Amino acid sequence: MTVLNTIRDCLDALLHPSARYDALTRARHRAFMAPRLLGSLAAFAAFPVYLAMRGAPTALEVAAFAWLIAPILLSWFLSRTGRYEGAHVLSSLALTGLVMTVAMTTGGIESFAAIWLVVVPLEAALSASRRAVAFACALTLACTAALIVSGHFDLLPPADANSASRGIFMAFGVASATLYAAGLAFGAESLARTSVALLNVEEDRYRLLARNMSDVISRHRHNGAVQFISPAVEAMLGTPVSRLLGHGLFDRVHVADRPAYLTALSDAARGGEARSVEFRLRREVPRAGARGPNGQVDFIWVEMRCRPLEQASEVALPPDAEAEVVAVMRDVTDRKQQEQALDLARTAAEQADAAKTRFLATMSHELRTPLNAIIGFSEMIVQEDVLMIDAVRRKEYAQLINDSGQHLLSVVNGILDMSKMATGNFEISPEPFAPRAALINCCNLLALKARENAIDLVTRAPEDLPVMNGDPRAFKQIVLNLVANAIKFTERGGSVTVTAGVEASRLVLRVSDTGVGISADDLKRIGDPFFQAGKTYQRRHEGTGLGLSIVKSLVALHAGEMNVQSRLDEGTTVTVALPLAFEPKAGQASSNIATLTPAVRPATPVQPHQVKKSA
């Protein structure tokens, strides 16, 4: 083994730089140079022995031995140029020239050297080049024809008539040709084994990549049919590779995304450029305890980058051949969810900005109007001597100033209450109280306002309503806000009905009106701070948009539920359900309302029978 390693190291030192970094090319160059250098050296070593046994050589024998320098020159040519195919062509010429020279002087086609012409194509086969093999075959046939024609027309010198020596030379020619052909066969086998070993190494490398990459690699026809897909898809989609071949992958693409999926593959196959597309794939998630591979189904977002498959340069595709596409798919569900979260956050920020703008516009109006009234009428009272204001007019102005101040105070109190609820500083003090008395008291306070607007205010509260545990101040604020809102948004001649009853262990309060109603779009945001239904330029009623927001927050603090049902131009029904035996949890008495879950159910249009007019 040490001798073989030494020989291999010497041959590697002679290799051209272009052949040193590719294992198969290095093996081919080494297989070309090794037999020629060793054969030439062996021939030169045997030449003195031949002279001792033969005596003085003839001119032909000297020329034949001199011709053995050609393999050394061929090895030098390959070592310096790296042209493997060209070296084989020159080798075929050199071997054919040597055989022809010996055969023409030893009997032509009947010479012992003619058998060596068969070796020339075999030697060229090691080049792995069709052109080199074709050239060697043509050269061999041409030389064979030349020997036959020359022998037929007696153009060659007569062969040795001694049959014994002729038989010895024939046996030598056959044996030497056989040994040389055996060497070529072993060299071809060695190259084939090296090629298979390298192929196995490459397959193992690509198999390692395909099995351990989280991205999925696939090969498609231009119509999307899958020819190959890496095993990583099993972890991604939860289904075997065999079920995704052909159109199995296409069947899992979301119906809405299939045109984009096929368009990307078709463009990549036809246009020759890389394409990128995002689509949804159906994934099977095994259920806990379920048998078999099938389970719950959901969709994941996948990004696919596809490009035309690059064929080997040696392979010539027919003009009508269909282009194929190689694609790399990656699960981008997390990124999509983050993008959706960002979109939601952006939308929420835009809504908050719009709410701030509406709040500033509303506050500027709600605060400026009573302040202007207070300033204007107070200035008139100051100038009562000049304006000659009598006692009746002075009293009227004072009442207007008082009303404006009370309105301004209610606006400020509403803002303060909402601010306390948002920051967690609003405290509730649960205690037993009679809800019927509180309800009737609130309705009596608003009865005058309803009468001035020609609205029937109907109260229906059974006398056997049980005592409930809660904050009576918060309960009154809930009733006052709901009833005041109902009166505000009901046209003259309409009605507002307030009913109370017990359902299960909860007190259910319903406030129904026959007012203007709320649109479906605005109904989704009812209860948001400073939100007012309808467009600003269409609104005919004053207000800050805090009434239902305060009600929703107080209901949430009492662990209750609020449901709003409405239809435009037909009326609105607000239902509030509060527990009769409310017991606040530790820390809930002054908790942050933002951390509570407001129990406002999705709004649905009120049915006509839900709005009752009083007789």
Side-chain angles (χ1 to χ4, degrees):
M1 296 298 293
T2 304
V3 176
L4 293 178
N5 291 335
T6 303
I7 294 174
R8 186 180 292 108
D9 293 340
C10 294
L11 292 174
D12 290 342
L14 297 175
L15 293 178
H16 189 266
S18 62
R20 293 177 181 176
Y21 304 103
D22 184 77
L24 184 58
T25 304
R26 184 168 63 249
R28 286 176 176 175
H29 284 225
R30 190 189 297 129
F32 181 88
M33 290 190 294
R36 285 164 179 79
L37 293 176
L38 295 177
S40 297
L41 293 177
F44 279 116
F47 187 63
V49 178
Y50 181 81
L51 292 179
M53 295 177 61
R54 177 80 176 180
T58 63
L60 178 62
E61 293 172 342
V62 173
F65 274 102
W67 199 272
L68 296 176
I69 302 176
I72 298 177
L73 296 177
L74 291 175
S75 299
W76 177 86
F77 171 81
L78 180 61
S79 175
R80 291 296 177 267
T81 63
R83 297 172 59 184
Y84 185 66
E85 183 180 346
H88 268 282
V89 171
L90 295 178
S91 178
S92 298
L93 288 173
L95 181 57
T96 305
L98 177 62
V99 172
M100 285 293 293
T101 301
V102 176
M104 292 178 67
T105 58
T106 57
I109 195 64
E110 298 179 357
S111 171
F112 71 93
I115 191 65
W116 274 79
L117 291 175
V118 180
V119 180
V120 176
L122 297 178
E123 183 186 67
L126 296 179
S127 66
S129 170
R130 292 183 178 180
R131 291 182 297 181
V133 173
F135 175 79
C137 291
L139 184 61
T140 300
L141 292 175
C143 291
T144 303
L147 290 176
I148 293 174
V149 171
S150 300
H152 180 73
F153 290 102
D154 297 328
L155 299 177
L156 299 177
D160 188 2
N162 188 349
S163 59
S165 61
R166 184 177 180 183
I168 294 173
F169 279 113
M170 185 61 69
F172 172 76
V174 173
S176 59
T178 301
L179 291 175
Y180 192 78
L184 294 177
F186 280 112
E189 189 275 337
S190 177
L191 290 177
R193 187 168 60 250
T194 302
S195 178
V196 171
L198 294 175
L199 181 61
N200 290 335
V201 170
E202 289 296 319
E203 288 182 351
D204 290 341
R205 182 181 298 124
Y206 290 122
R207 189 178 296 110
L208 177 67
L209 292 175
R211 290 183 177 178
N212 293 279
M213 284 182 60
S214 59
D215 294 350
V216 177
I217 302 175
S218 55
R219 180 176 179 177
H220 304 255
R221 296 184 183 275
H222 74 287
N223 61 353
V226 177
Q227 294 180 289
F228 165 81
I229 191 166
S230 62
V233 73
E234 295 184 359
M236 178 184 290
L237 299 181
T239 187
V241 172
S242 58
R243 297 177 59 183
L244 300 175
L245 298 178
H247 293 286
L249 182 64
F250 173 78
D251 293 339
R252 292 181 172 274
V253 178
H254 195 280
V255 176
D257 299 334
R258 290 179 179 179
Y261 168 79
L262 293 177
T263 301
L265 291 174
S266 179
D267 291 346
R270 183 175 59 252
E273 297 180 358
R275 293 291 187 272
S276 179
V277 63
E278 292 181 353
F279 55 91
R280 286 162 288 182
L281 275 177
R282 187 174 74 251
R283 176 177 60 183
E284 295 181 0
V285 181
R287 292 190 299 267
R291 296 181 179 180
N294 296 330
Q296 299 176 354
V297 176
D298 62 352
F299 284 89
I300 61 173
W301 278 99
V302 172
E303 179 187 32
M304 182 178 73
R305 298 181 181 272
C306 49
R307 62 191 316 160
L309 180 64
E310 297 180 359
Q311 300 286 352
S313 58
E314 295 83 0
V315 179
L317 294 177
D320 58 345
E322 296 180 354
E324 296 181 352
V325 177
V326 61
V328 178
M329 291 182 288
R330 176 177 298 177
D331 187 351
V332 294
T333 305
D334 292 341
R335 191 191 73 191
K336 278 291 185 179
Q337 292 176 349
Q338 293 175 359
E339 291 177 356
Q340 293 175 359
L342 289 176
D343 291 339
L344 292 176
R346 187 182 301 109
T347 302
E350 292 173 354
Q351 292 177 351
D353 184 69
K356 181 186 70 173
T357 302
R358 288 194 302 269
F359 167 70
L360 294 176
T362 302
M363 286 300 100
S364 64
H365 171 74
E366 293 294 331
L367 297 180
R368 186 170 56 245
T369 300
L371 284 176
N372 286 337
I374 292 173
I375 295 173
F377 288 117
S378 62
E379 288 179 349
M380 295 178 69
I381 293 177
V382 170
Q383 300 176 11
E384 60 179 344
D385 295 336
V386 179
L387 299 176
M388 301 178 63
I389 299 176
D390 55 13
V392 176
R393 186 64 58 86
R394 188 185 310 109
K395 182 178 180 181
E396 178 183 356
Y397 290 167
Q399 183 63 42
L400 291 174
I401 292 173
N402 182 267
D403 292 342
S404 298
Q406 292 294 334
H407 175 67
L408 184 61
L409 180 61
S410 66
V411 171
V412 174
N413 285 335
I415 296 175
L416 291 177
D417 288 343
M418 197 64 227
S419 177
K420 289 179 181 180
M421 293 178 188
T423 57
N425 295 323
F426 189 88
E427 296 184 359
I428 58 175
S429 301
E431 62 181 57
F433 71 97
R436 183 177 185 276
L439 178 64
I440 294 177
N441 184 25
C442 293
C443 292
N444 290 336
L445 291 176
L446 296 172
L448 179 60
K449 183 177 181 181
R451 193 179 306 113
E452 291 176 352
N453 294 337
I455 296 174
D456 292 336
L457 179 60
V458 180
T459 306
R460 297 171 182 171
E463 296 182 359
D464 58 347
L465 278 181
V467 175
M468 66 179 296
N469 189 62
D471 190 334
R473 180 177 60 89
F475 180 80
K476 291 181 179 180
Q477 195 167 1
I478 291 174
V479 176
L480 288 174
N481 278 313
L482 292 180
V483 177
N485 263 358
I487 294 173
K488 181 192 300 185
F489 293 101
T490 301
E491 303 293 339
R492 298 181 67 85
S495 66
V496 175
T497 304
V498 182
T499 61
V502 176
E503 295 181 5
S505 60
R506 300 189 302 178
L507 175 71
V508 179
L509 175 67
R510 289 186 178 89
V511 178
S512 303
D513 64 65
T514 59
V516 296
I518 305 171
S519 66
D521 293 337
D522 290 339
L523 202 57
K524 299 175 183 178
R525 298 191 57 199
I526 285 296
D528 292 349
F530 308 109
F531 174 76
Q532 293 175 284
K535 298 180 180 179
T536 303
Y537 57 84
Q538 295 176 337
R539 192 172 297 118
R540 294 171 294 175
H541 309 281
E542 296 181 352
T544 60
L546 290 176
L548 283 180
S549 178
I550 293 175
V551 170
K552 184 177 77 169
S553 301
L554 292 175
V555 170
L557 285 174
H558 281 80
E561 294 181 358
M562 185 176 77
N563 181 25
V564 181
Q565 296 176 319
S566 183
R567 181 177 290 179
L568 281 177
D569 300 326
E570 292 189 12
T572 302
T573 298
V574 181
T575 304
V576 172
L578 300 174
L580 290 174
F582 170 65
E583 294 293 338
K585 298 179 181 179
Q588 184 178 348
S590 59
S591 59
N592 189 342
I593 195 62
T595 63
L596 299 175
T597 303
V600 181
R601 296 178 181 176
T604 55
V606 64
Q607 301 300 325
H609 68 274
Q610 292 176 314
V611 180
K612 301 179 181 178
K613 291 187 177 181
S614 60

